[in-house]
Amino acid sequence: EVQLVESGGGLVQPGRSLRLSCTASGFTFGDYAMSWVRQAPGKGLEWVGFIRSKAYGGTTEYAASVKGRFTISRDDSKSIAYLQMNSLKTEDTAVYYCTRQRVVGDAFDIWGQGTMVTVSS
Amino acid sequence: SYVLTQPPSVSVAPGKTARITCGGNNIGSKSVHWYQQKPGQAPVLVIYYDSDRPSGIPERFSGSNSGNTATLTISRVEAGDEADYYCQVWDSSSEGVFGGGTKLTVL
């Protein structure tokens, strides 16, 4: 079964850091780009960023709202994608989903169940 | 950055046809994907590349895209179709963009 499982969410104070993990199974992880999408409570979906597969350089792109604070990385040997979140703000409070796509332009065809991040003092 | 505009809500009676629009500047030149999200659940892809359906998605779901508007059409609407629906594209800077979402209510 193709599956994505996020972990690492929780309560964190403003200005602190948190790292989320997305563990994949059931498919060849290295063949896919991996994206993170978030959803603030009661709000819509917001794309956070993605990392290309190694075949496409393994480079990253980010939304303006997180650029310079968030970093996406991947470990193909473990089938895990990471979202390192630094200098967290209260407005980063959201459910964070990881998703996959083959290349830029593709749809997000598989989603994890999400992990909640609450930024509050 | 590129902006996608969706109506906040659409209501339809069971058995009728629902149409959810997604507006964007020359969106017809882009590929549009649609997601369904039910309360407390992760989004599910229902239409990709304007009009293709993933396996397991009923034929009642269809999509089109032309000019400045993309449309998700749900025929013979059922109570189980009640959900939030989001359109999504990739902009020229390789950034993902979502519409604001449309809440579909089945009367």
Side-chain angles (χ1 to χ4, degrees), chain A residues 82-101:
Chain A
Y82 300 99
L83 177 63
Q84 176 67 43
M85 303 184 292
N86 298 332
S87 303
L88 282 162
K89 306 175 181 180
T90 56
E91 52 263 42
D92 295 319
T93 294
V95 174
Y96 285 74
Y97 297 99
C98 75
T99 76
R100 73 169 196 183
Q101 77 261 26

Side-chain angles (χ1 to χ4, degrees), chain B residues 7-44:
Chain B
S9 62
V10 167
S11 299
V12 63
K16 300 300 186 182
T17 297
R19 294 179 179 84
I20 298 173
T21 58
C22 176
N25 184 34
N26 197 25
I27 194 174
S29 67
K30 299 182 179 296
S31 296
V32 180
H33 313 300
W34 291 91
Y35 305 88
Q36 175 194 69
Q37 186 180 33
K38 296 182 179 180
Q41 298 183 19
V44 172

Side-chain angles (χ1 to χ4, degrees), chain A residues 12-13 26-28 36 63 69 71 85-86 88 95-96 98 105 111:
Chain A
V12 61
Q13 294 179 329
F27 66 98
T28 304
W36 289 90
R69 299 189 299 124
T71 301
M85 303 184 292
N86 298 332
L88 282 162
V95 174
Y96 285 74
C98 75
W111 296 65

Side-chain angles (χ1 to χ4, degrees), chain B residues 6-92:
Chain B
Q6 297 182 236
S9 62
V10 167
S11 299
V12 63
K16 300 300 186 182
T17 297
R19 294 179 179 84
I20 298 173
T21 58
C22 176
N25 184 34
N26 197 25
I27 194 174
S29 67
K30 299 182 179 296
S31 296
V32 180
H33 313 300
W34 291 91
Y35 305 88
Q36 175 194 69
Q37 186 180 33
K38 296 182 179 180
Q41 298 183 19
V44 172
L45 178 66
V46 293
I47 291 290
Y48 63 102
Y49 285 115
D50 297 341
S51 59
D52 290 336
R53 270 180 297 104
S55 61
I57 300 300
E59 292 183 6
R60 301 183 297 103
F61 287 79
S62 63
S64 63
N65 184 19
S66 179
N68 293 318
T69 305
T71 303
L72 172 68
T73 301
I74 309 172
S75 304
R76 302 181 300 282
V77 167
E78 303 174 356
D81 299 330
E82 191 161 282
D84 293 326
Y85 291 85
Y86 296 89
C87 58
Q88 181 254 322
V89 301
W90 290 91
D91 75 5
S92 57

Side-chain angles (χ1 to χ4, degrees), chain A residues 56-111:
Chain A
Y56 288 87
T59 52
T60 53
E61 306 289 349
Y62 299 96
S65 58
V66 306
K67 194 173 293 184
R69 299 189 299 124
F70 290 11
T71 301
I72 299 172
S73 60
R74 63 189 299 154
D75 185 336
D76 289 355
S77 68
K78 297 181 179 178
S79 297
I80 300 177
Y82 300 99
L83 177 63
Q84 176 67 43
M85 303 184 292
N86 298 332
S87 303
L88 282 162
K89 306 175 181 180
T90 56
E91 52 263 42
D92 295 319
T93 294
V95 174
Y96 285 74
Y97 297 99
C98 75
T99 76
R100 73 169 196 183
Q101 77 261 26
R102 281 273 187 183
V103 294
V104 174
D106 276 359
F108 305 123
D109 65 342
I110 300 295
W111 296 65

